[in-house]
Amino acid sequence: MKKQNIIMIIAALLPLGLFLFPLWRITLEAPQYPTPLAMNIHINDFSDVHPHDIKNINLMNHYVGMQYIPDAIPEFKIFPAGILITTVLGLLIAWKGNYKWFLGWFILMVVLSLAGMYDFYLWEHDYGHNLDPKAIMKFTNPDGTQMGFQPPLFGSKDILNFKAHSYPQFGALFLGLGIAAGFVAYIVGKKNKSTA
Amino acid sequence: MKNILKSTLAIVAVFAAFTSCNNSGKSNGKSGALSSNIAEKVYVAPGEHDSHYAFISGGYSGNLTVYGLPSGRMFKEIPVFSQFPTSGYGYSEETKPMLNTSHGFIPWGDSHHPDISQTNGEIDGRFIFINENNTPRIAKIDLKTFETTEIIEVPNSAGNHSSSFVTENTEYVVAGTRFSVPIPQRDMAIKDYKGNFQGALSFISVAPETGNMDIKFQVLMPGFNYDLSHPGRGKSHGWFFFTTYNTEEASTLLEVNASQNDKDFIAAVNWKKIEEYVNNGGGTMMPADYAHNVYDEHTHTATSTMKKEVRVVNPSEVPGAVYFLPTPKSPHGCDVDPSGEYIVGNGKLSANLTVHSFTKMLAAIEGKKFDGEAYGIPILKFEDVLAGSVEQPGLGPLHTEFDAEGNAYTTFFISSEVVKWKLGTWEVIDRKPTYYSVGHLTIPGGNSRKPQGKYMFAMNKITKDRYLPTGPEMEHSAQLYDISGDKMELLLDFPTHGEPHYAAAMEADLVKERSQKIYNLEDNKHPYAAFSDADAKVVRKGNEVHIYMTTIRSHFTPDNIEGVKLGDKVYFHVTNLEQDFDVPHGFAVLGQNTSELLIMPGQTKTSVWEPTKVGVWPFYCTDFCSALHQEMQGYIRVSPANSNTPLKWSMGEDIE
């Protein structure tokens, strides 16, 4: 088997790491939480980083009228299916062997990941802005608009007494490496083609 | 040369202190400012942790307090034998059974000697046992939750003082009686004490995994007073030693009449031998009433079981199990060194400290060198068992603890001092005054085969001028000494709560990582628990009204309750739905005749309220829990007895 096909097989398999490791983590730090509250986002679930973190995040957030973090969201069905389909697709084209298809897979994965990020952003935006009108505490921005409590998509941000951190985890690394490997497979394939 | 250098430095330091624009306060003239870093030695910076836990008994407070060393900061008071309104212990329906005895519910006890569980002679930090003197009981505190989880009453005992010391694998907790009494109890003339009263030494077994206690056997001894005790360890493991006074068997004016004999005894009890005898069916079951109270951390509820009999052993039935070691004069403390060889008997009326040798004791027993007997128990010859004595170390020796370097530290009540002396050579190495009238002293791990050195603290009975005055009553004081050098160094005075009778201390790492942060709601098996706001309800059973109530920041569910009538007994079963460390909620209702409750995350507690007046009465959270703590409140309506107000409850119903 050609080198690029082997790389493509690896590329197609790597995103399966999302089923083993969390994709993302949102951490909330505040003085009265010496152990920060944190939530892992998996491909098919939310999970506590320390026992009862999500419950305690919900408890804190209800003061400003934020919704409870749901047990499940539709994405928990769509994302795993997406990953399984693209893995099968990747394996098929790795077997079929035309390197140009590798580029197609790479682009598909980049587009799907961006769509996922956008979906995540929309969810966060809704979570941080769609507040209970009867909220106990109401805060406004300096310009008079209602303050939102959206965690950052990526990076760290101060939200009232909390410092919120949002960073990828191991699962995202697997996905990223998979996508990158798809591109490498394409480059290697192209090189072999030109030298052949 | 060194001295010249030192004094030069001191002069420079004093000069600097005077000339410096910021007057840095008192510089110690004796040792020089440069060498005076005592404050540093007890300073624990904000947010940092102490290196040791100290568990100091509260004596007449009936409780146990938790301190940090070296800071001397008090962290917690653990209720044990006394009702404690701070948490509702002994007031809540779940904890009332903990204070049940064969004499009924007893709201107070006199706690004395805490001792930490051991494995292989080393402190393991799992449990603390503590005795109650007045109504003889032994309690077990679980160091995972720092809560009292078991109390067993000791029948046939009176003044449970030589207690609650543990053997080196926590096989037994011992409970020796201070006062001898008629066994079984009966109506008889007090003047007939001699020869008729007996002293029970109780051996309470501790189950290795659960820590469950059970009285395995009682040794019925002659009618002396059994003052203090100590387990053998190492080579003497399997033996237990008890000091006695009043071997005169006087029953009145003991101050005089129990101080006549030149020597009393240390009773050496070979418990392994008696255990073997009992395991083979020895001893007799005697009718006895005593309570065994166990707290279940899943139902959050204690149950009290009345036991009906106890196994007693007459020492004369087990030859070779008990011997008397003559010890001058009215010995109080009874302490065994970490190697298990030396048994120190502190004769409180004696000028010298008497130390017996375990090896010599065995040899004397082997050679049958007896000096008579008392009630069938052989008395060994004083000279044959004596290892040595510390000559005229001070006045009124009480208690001895040991470091890891072969030194002993003895407190002297009358001369108010701690004296350090060397085991084997019996020479006095150092002495330091205490302020004032010291009783016990503690070295972390001092009661084990591996003392953890560095610190020693003395617990003083009289405080006088050591702190700002607070009227005629002062809290007692403890004083912390650094014992890492040849000379003891006084580091700190700190107040203690109740009477700091004795303490157990250990390195913090043994406990702090295991300390539980919450109770898991899913493990809550309380029959009246409510696991969410949806489970909250009010149920009437005749004239009992059971309210299944939940708390979470910052509301009660339900918060409006109607349909309660005069004559009803209202049970508030409050479940704290929080699952976050250190977020308890409180509960109190106006006119309650018990106490508030303090409910830990995941816990259910019950308070009974019998309203006496018609009206609408508020209840509220007593522990400042959140930004909206003040809003955490509700109302309960009480209607006349003959009214037909329907039972109704709600939360959030009326908000538009």
Side-chain angles (χ1 to χ4, degrees):
Chain A
M1 200 179 231
K2 287 177 196 156
K3 209 175 180 184
Q4 65 265 35
N5 298 66
I6 295 168
I7 297 173
M8 188 57 219
I9 290 172
I10 294 167
L13 291 175
L14 274 171
L16 293 177
L18 281 167
F19 290 94
L20 301 174
F21 302 102
L23 173 63
W24 217 266
R25 177 178 292 183
I26 296 177
T27 306
L28 298 170
E29 287 176 357
Q32 59 273 59
Y33 289 95
T35 306
L37 297 172
M39 171 176 98
N40 277 333
I41 301 168
H42 301 260
I43 193 80
N44 54 0
D45 199 9
F46 297 127
S47 74
D48 293 318
V49 172
H50 318 97
H52 313 295
D53 272 355
I54 293 176
K55 175 171 181 155
N56 289 317
I57 291 170
N58 284 336
L59 254 172
M60 290 315 303
N61 287 351
H62 97 276
Y63 288 120
V64 290
M66 287 167 80
Q67 307 148 61
Y68 278 16
I69 294 162
D71 285 338
I73 52 173
E75 285 85 341
F76 288 158
K77 288 205 162 56
I78 298 165
F79 285 167
I83 292 299
L84 289 175
I85 290 166
T86 53
T87 296
V88 171
L89 208 63
L91 289 174
L92 276 175
I93 59 176
W95 174 61
K96 185 152 166 63
N98 186 336
Y99 76 92
K100 284 178 185 162
W101 290 56
F102 299 172
L103 183 66
W105 187 85
F106 167 74
I107 292 167
L108 174 74
M109 291 302 283
V110 169
V111 168
L112 285 177
S113 300
L114 287 175
M117 288 293 275
Y118 183 63
D119 179 75
F120 179 43
Y121 174 81
L122 288 181
W123 178 80
E124 273 192 346
H125 187 272
D126 180 61
Y127 178 70
H129 287 87
N130 184 11
L131 305 175
D132 184 343
K134 285 189 202 157
I136 298 159
M137 294 184 186
K138 291 189 174 75
F139 295 92
T140 48
N141 294 312
D143 64 7
T145 56
Q146 187 178 35
M147 190 188 280
F149 304 99
Q150 181 178 358
L153 186 64
F154 178 91
S156 300
K157 180 180 161 189
D158 288 321
I159 308 173
L160 295 177
N161 58 324
F162 281 95
K163 191 170 193 83
H165 306 279
S166 176
Y167 290 102
Q169 300 295 296
F170 252 117
L173 183 70
F174 275 85
L175 178 66
L177 284 176
I179 294 171
F183 190 68
V184 171
Y186 164 70
I187 298 291
V188 172
K190 197 177 174 186
K191 216 171 172 186
N192 282 352
K193 171 90 178 171
S194 60
T195 53
Chain B
M1 183 63 203
K2 217 173 175 184
N3 283 343
I4 294 170
L5 192 67
K6 226 180 190 173
S7 50
T8 311
L9 280 175
I11 289 162
V12 171
V14 170
F15 183 70
F18 275 104
T19 51
S20 157
C21 356
N22 101 21
N23 189 343
S24 54
K26 287 187 241 172
S27 55
N28 191 330
K30 274 175 278 178
S31 53
L34 290 180
S35 64
S36 171
N37 60 348
I38 286 176
E40 229 169 75
K41 288 184 176 175
V42 297
Y43 182 69
V44 178
E48 286 181 11
H49 290 174
D50 282 279
S51 62
H52 292 73
Y53 281 103
F55 297 88
I56 305 184
S57 83
Y60 46 69
S61 85
N63 294 336
L64 183 71
T65 44
V66 186
Y67 283 77
L69 299 180
S71 73
R73 297 177 293 190
M74 180 178 139
F75 300 140
K76 189 180 187 180
E77 181 166 6
I78 302 172
V80 188
F81 297 112
S82 293
Q83 279 181 303
F84 195 62
T86 304
S87 64
Y89 178 87
Y91 292 97
S92 70
E93 291 306 294
E94 293 81 2
T95 53
K96 277 180 188 171
M98 290 302 282
L99 301 182
N100 192 37
T101 73
S102 64
H103 305 273
F105 177 85
I106 293 190
W108 169 85
D110 190 8
S111 64
H112 275 76
H113 309 112
D115 205 16
I116 305 167
S117 58
Q118 296 183 16
T119 305
N120 297 325
E122 289 180 39
I123 279 179
D124 62 25
R126 297 169 67 210
F127 305 113
I128 286 200
F129 299 90
I130 187 164
N131 57 319
E132 206 276 83
N133 188 67
N134 184 52
T135 306
R137 287 176 277 178
I138 299 278
K140 183 184 78 203
I141 292 145
D142 191 329
L143 288 183
K144 192 161 54 80
T145 57
F146 287 62
E147 297 284 348
T148 305
T149 54
E150 193 171 357
I151 293 180
I152 195 163
E153 192 183 353
V154 187
N156 296 331
S157 203
N160 176 30
H161 195 262
S162 40
S163 184
S164 55
F165 305 101
V166 300
T167 53
E168 70 175 28
N169 291 298
T170 321
E171 295 96 336
Y172 291 99
V173 179
V174 80
T177 194
R178 177 171 155 204
F179 311 119
S180 282
V181 287
I183 296 178
Q185 273 289 8
R186 57 191 179 274
D187 178 20
M188 65 175 282
I190 298 167
K191 67 173 178 50
D192 297 335
Y193 180 116
K194 199 166 188 168
N196 289 314
F197 283 32
Q198 284 177 294
L201 306 179
S202 309
F203 285 77
I204 298 167
S205 61
V206 179
E209 289 302 314
T210 58
N212 282 349
M213 299 190 289
D214 186 33
I215 301 178
K216 176 103 171 175
F217 57 87
Q218 294 188 314
V219 186
L220 296 188
M221 298 284 286
F224 311 149
N225 289 33
Y226 297 85
D227 202 359
L228 273 160
S229 64
H230 209 89
R233 47 186 38 106
K235 62 172 84 166
S236 53
H237 177 54
W239 290 77
F240 227 108
F241 304 94
F242 297 82
T243 44
T244 67
Y245 65 98
N246 194 21
T247 48
E248 296 86 350
E249 294 183 76
S251 60
T252 184
L253 193 60
L254 261 62
E255 179 184 22
V256 174
N257 295 332
S259 304
Q260 297 303 309
N261 287 348
D262 184 49
K263 291 188 179 66
D264 294 287
F265 300 125
I266 285 178
V269 178
N270 186 337
W271 59 260
K272 277 210 166 147
K273 201 160 207 157
I274 302 176
E275 180 187 59
E276 198 186 315
Y277 172 73
V278 164
N279 285 344
N280 291 324
T284 48
M285 295 307 286
M286 174 190 266
D289 290 329
Y290 60 104
H292 184 206
N293 312 328
V294 179
Y295 183 82
D296 180 322
E297 71 170 41
H298 296 300
T299 60
H300 300 284
T301 303
T303 47
S304 179
T305 312
M306 289 306 296
K307 300 224 169 172
K308 292 291 169 201
E309 52 181 11
V310 68
R311 185 176 297 274
V312 296
V313 173
N314 182 337
S316 62
E317 292 167 5
V318 198
V322 184
Y323 297 92
F324 285 134
L325 283 53
T327 307
K329 289 208 51 165
S330 301
H332 183 63
C334 179
D335 300 288
V336 179
D337 84 305
S339 74
E341 168 63 13
Y342 297 117
I343 305 138
V344 182
N346 298 295
K348 57 186 187 277
L349 308 176
S350 165
N352 299 337
L353 262 179
T354 305
V355 185
H356 297 304
S357 155
F358 179 72
T359 312
K360 283 181 150 186
M361 182 191 94
L362 286 188
I365 292 169
E366 188 78 12
K368 298 201 188 307
K369 293 182 181 169
F370 302 139
D371 197 8
E373 56 164 48
Y375 296 97
I377 296 167
I379 301 169
L380 298 168
K381 281 200 179 112
F382 178 68
E383 296 74 20
D384 291 341
V385 293
L386 186 71
S389 52
V390 186
E391 302 288 333
Q392 311 224 336
L395 295 175
L398 290 186
H399 303 285
T400 303
E401 293 250 320
F402 307 90
D403 65 15
E405 322 289 327
N407 298 306
Y409 300 74
T410 301
T411 55
F412 289 82
F413 182 81
I414 298 170
S415 52
S416 275
E417 59 187 334
V418 177
V419 173
K420 176 181 179 180
W421 51 276
K422 187 130 200 92
L423 287 159
T425 69
W426 324 119
E427 62 182 322
V428 170
I429 296 167
D430 189 24
R431 58 175 70 239
K432 280 285 179 300
T434 59
Y435 308 96
Y436 306 88
S437 298
V438 57
H440 274 278
L441 76 171
T442 298
I443 289 173
N447 209 20
S448 71
R449 282 169 76 171
K450 261 208 177 152
Q452 295 163 353
K454 187 146 175 76
Y455 297 117
M456 176 272 287
F457 56 99
M459 286 154 275
N460 307 320
K461 309 297 183 191
I462 294 173
T463 304
K464 298 274 190 198
D465 57 351
R466 298 301 284 182
Y467 316 126
L468 282 176
T470 53
E473 198 206 355
M474 297 288 290
E475 290 283 28
H476 290 203
S477 82
Q479 291 185 303
L480 183 71
Y481 297 79
D482 182 336
I483 54 164
S484 53
D486 286 342
K487 302 282 180 191
M488 296 176 272
E489 185 180 20
L490 176 60
L491 300 179
L492 182 71
D493 274 4
F494 60 98
T496 58
H497 193 55
E499 186 221 352
H501 192 91
Y502 181 51
M506 70 181 129
E507 282 162 352
D509 292 340
L510 272 170
V511 177
K512 72 176 189 184
E513 296 309 325
R514 292 193 297 120
S515 181
Q516 192 166 314
K517 293 188 164 68
I518 58 161
Y519 293 95
N520 274 319
L521 255 183
E522 54 262 40
D523 297 335
N524 183 327
K525 303 278 187 286
H526 192 290
Y528 290 97
F531 297 100
S532 72
D533 288 356
D535 290 340
K537 61 184 174 186
V538 182
V539 177
R540 177 179 282 283
K541 280 187 205 159
N543 72 335
E544 287 185 0
V545 176
H546 291 271
I547 301 167
Y548 296 65
M549 183 177 270
T550 63
T551 61
I552 200 151
R553 280 161 287 177
S554 315
H555 63 262
F556 292 97
T557 308
D559 64 358
N560 277 343
I561 301 160
E562 299 186 1
V564 170
K565 291 180 258 186
L566 275 188
D568 282 346
K569 204 170 177 181
V570 182
Y571 290 80
F572 291 95
H573 306 286
V574 188
T575 304
N576 182 351
L577 298 181
E578 304 281 354
Q579 294 285 267
D580 191 7
F581 184 26
D582 197 25
V583 189
H585 289 292
F587 174 86
V589 60
L590 196 156
Q592 204 174 5
N593 343 64
T594 55
S595 88
E596 58 137 16
L597 300 175
L598 203 59
I599 311 134
M600 299 304 123
Q603 205 177 35
T604 303
K605 282 188 182 174
T606 302
S607 183
V608 168
W609 180 56
E610 295 178 68
T612 57
K613 289 176 183 173
V614 165
V616 178
W617 308 104
F619 54 84
Y620 69 103
C621 173
T622 50
D623 186 359
F624 210 111
C625 58
S626 66
L628 292 151
H629 163 74
Q630 286 302 90
E631 283 74 6
M632 192 162 171
Q633 63 182 47
Y635 287 108
I636 182 161
R637 174 181 168 190
V638 179
S639 303
N642 56 1
S643 66
N644 51 9
T645 316
L647 204 60
K648 203 178 139 203
W649 64 94
S650 64
M651 197 275 288
E653 195 179 60
D654 300 325
I655 293 180
E656 293 302 313

